[in-house]
Amino acid sequence: MSLVDLEARVARDLEWLDWGGADWTVPRGAHVHDVLIVGGGQSGLAAAFALIGERVNRLLVLDENPAGREGPWVTYARMRTLRTPKQLTGVDMGIPSLTFRAWYEAQFGTEGWAALGKIPRPMWMEYLRWYRRVLDLPVRNDARVVAIDPAAPGLFRVTLADGEVLTTRKVVLATGIQGGGEWHVPQFVSDALPPHLYAHTSAAIDYAALAGKRIGILGIGASAFDNANAALEAGVAEVHVFARRAALPRVNPIRFMERVGLTPRYPALGDSDKYRAMRDFLVKNQPPTGDMFEAAAAHPGFTLHLGSPWLSVAPAGEGARVATPQRAFDFDFLVLSTGLLSDPGLRPELRGLADRIARWSDRYAPPAGAAHPLLDAHPYLGPAFELLPRRAEDAASLHGLFAFNYSALASIGLSASALSGLKHALPRLAKGVADQLFLDDAEALIDAFIAYDEPEFAGEWSRKATA
């Protein structure tokens, strides 16, 4: 089967499934969307497809990036392959012809699939471009959302960077791993150094411009080794990776979640069990991937410093000096693999609503000594990713706002921005948004149902009854 044949099969499968169809929602006006999805990466595209399956068609996906560059895959991500097993599905919504495997085998055959280890990162982006095209999803690029505010009851005003204002009934924040907060730059670094001496791993770092230089990396998350290898391949002379921990993490808790079905069942847990599980998840952290660790470590210029936290940083000549418990190091540039913070208060587009959004600290008090500040700052979501109010009087202004991003971790588990969770998260989101649209108009829809009188049966009985 060629790719052309596969695309014909996709169209046929969607026809057989009767995917989509006529709208049933009650229009609010010619220029009012039922749903705006902020973010056109894998989660935003798949959310649009899932909602179309619910016959919610008055929707639009907005992404701040140029077409084909949505998400991290060809921007700041620097790993060679995806971290998830190649056979995991998600954005396909259970349609075999839409899976990555179907797309891959159409080009490289079943033997090529058998020989594939993990999915190459740039190839995943190629697949997502194909997915968007073959499904003809409504995406608008170069459209950065800068503000989301309540308009009339049941409506939101979404303002773009160019000043244009869109109106919608529902907003789905499919804004990825950083979209529920921000990338974390430790204050002791930002306070001490000028911005040209450091960058977070999420930044567009030109490692070729640092060829022959010395770089220090803080943190041992997977991105630390991805960036170390990318830097050394680009000609950086030395890369030193520093960790507070005395040993590298070795256990990946996500693999256990996949094995025992914790990912789809997590939302059914009570708050105490959710908190206990996610606290452990955050404390343990995930290990680097074996291939990227080995790739980085194979370079002569790579050094790993365990049990060596950064105590302070300071300018030194044209670079930066890092103090550790062992000794001081001088570097030309620093890279921060320090993760992210999830807190609605950190999102500029939510500045007008952030104080009204409930956090976990508002709804759950952990046992003494078990509190985790990063977990407490997560939004406390409803079962369909809906943001919930901090106070009863805040409910109307948040009704219709959904956090389909990494900040859903505490409430829904691995879901919106984790490929291993999308399979279960997408139906949950689509049903939740569609249910809310229906319930908002329940009175009008029930009235229309009761008034419905379109004849279906046209038969006539022409013979007279006989005794």
Side-chain angles (χ1 to χ4, degrees), residues 13-21 53:
D13 284 348
L14 295 179
E15 181 184 354
W16 281 342
L17 290 168
D18 194 25
W19 196 269

Side-chain angles (χ1 to χ4, degrees), residues 321-392:
R321 177 164 295 163
V322 173
T324 74
Q326 289 77 30
R327 68 180 183 89
F329 296 83
D330 288 339
F331 295 108
D332 298 292
F333 192 74
L334 304 181
V335 176
L336 308 171
S337 178
T338 43
L340 72 154
L341 304 173
S342 289
D343 183 344
L346 299 173
R347 297 305 307 169
E349 68 272 15
L350 295 178
R351 68 174 65 89
L353 293 169
D355 185 60
R356 310 178 196 184
I357 297 170
R359 275 51 159 202
W360 266 76
S361 59
D362 297 314
R363 300 295 183 91
Y364 178 72
H372 194 297
L374 298 183
L375 192 54
D376 292 339
H378 281 65
Y380 188 93
L381 304 181
F385 298 90
E386 61 269 42
L387 288 160
L388 297 178
R390 179 171 269 167
R391 299 165 291 267

Side-chain angles (χ1 to χ4, degrees), residues 132-148:
R132 168 180 169 174
R133 178 180 62 79
V134 79
L135 295 175
D136 194 24
L137 296 173
V139 183
R140 180 173 166 186
N141 287 95
D142 302 304
R144 181 167 64 91
V145 172
V146 296
I148 300 169

Side-chain angles (χ1 to χ4, degrees), residues 460-466:
E460 297 286 347
W461 178 253
S462 59
R463 288 180 292 160
K464 294 183 178 180
T466 58

Side-chain angles (χ1 to χ4, degrees), residues 136-422:
D136 194 24
L137 296 173
V139 183
R140 180 173 166 186
N141 287 95
D142 302 304
R144 181 167 64 91
V145 172
V146 296
I148 300 169
D149 299 293
L155 296 176
F156 288 97
R157 183 173 58 251
V158 177
T159 305
L160 304 183
D162 63 4
E164 183 180 358
V165 177
L166 304 175
T167 305
T168 185
R169 297 176 63 187
K170 310 296 173 188
V171 179
V172 175
L173 299 170
T175 42
I177 191 168
Q178 80 280 17
E182 67 180 13
W183 297 110
H184 175 53
V185 174
Q187 190 173 351
F188 78 91
V189 175
S190 58
D191 284 351
L193 297 177
H196 72 274
L197 288 181
Y198 67 90
H200 194 277
T201 53
S202 62
I205 305 171
D206 183 2
Y207 283 119
L210 294 166
K213 305 291 188 179
R214 285 166 48 90
I215 291 178
I217 298 181
L218 177 61
I220 52 170
S223 67
F225 298 94
D226 298 342
N227 278 263
N229 182 68
L232 290 163
E233 287 185 342
V236 170
E238 294 182 31
V239 173
H240 295 250
V241 174
F242 295 83
R244 181 180 64 253
R245 298 171 186 245
L248 289 170
R250 298 189 176 277
V251 175
N252 188 345
I254 294 178
R255 299 291 88 86
F256 182 83
M257 292 178 173
E258 295 164 352
R259 186 182 310 154
V260 304
L262 182 58
T263 300
R265 312 290 172 240
Y266 177 91
L269 294 172
D271 285 354
S272 61
D273 285 331
K274 286 181 179 179
Y275 197 94
R276 191 162 65 97
M278 278 306 154
R279 184 185 188 282
D280 184 74
F281 180 79
L282 293 177
V283 168
K284 283 181 176 174
N285 208 346
Q286 297 178 62
T289 57
D291 58 342
M292 293 309 296
F293 173 79
E294 296 296 339
H299 292 278
F302 176 83
T303 305
L304 176 62
H305 304 270
L306 296 172
S308 189
W310 289 4
L311 303 178
S312 65
V313 298
E318 295 183 357
R321 177 164 295 163
V322 173
T324 74
Q326 289 77 30
R327 68 180 183 89
F329 296 83
D330 288 339
F331 295 108
D332 298 292
F333 192 74
L334 304 181
V335 176
L336 308 171
S337 178
T338 43
L340 72 154
L341 304 173
S342 289
D343 183 344
L346 299 173
R347 297 305 307 169
E349 68 272 15
L350 295 178
R351 68 174 65 89
L353 293 169
D355 185 60
R356 310 178 196 184
I357 297 170
R359 275 51 159 202
W360 266 76
S361 59
D362 297 314
R363 300 295 183 91
Y364 178 72
H372 194 297
L374 298 183
L375 192 54
D376 292 339
H378 281 65
Y380 188 93
L381 304 181
F385 298 90
E386 61 269 42
L387 288 160
L388 297 178
R390 179 171 269 167
R391 299 165 291 267
E393 59 266 29
D394 299 326
S397 61
L398 296 179
H399 180 73
L401 191 55
F402 298 79
F404 197 60
N405 54 39
Y406 198 70
S407 71
L409 180 70
S411 297
I412 313 293
L414 287 175
S415 51
S417 60
L419 184 57
S420 56
L422 279 175

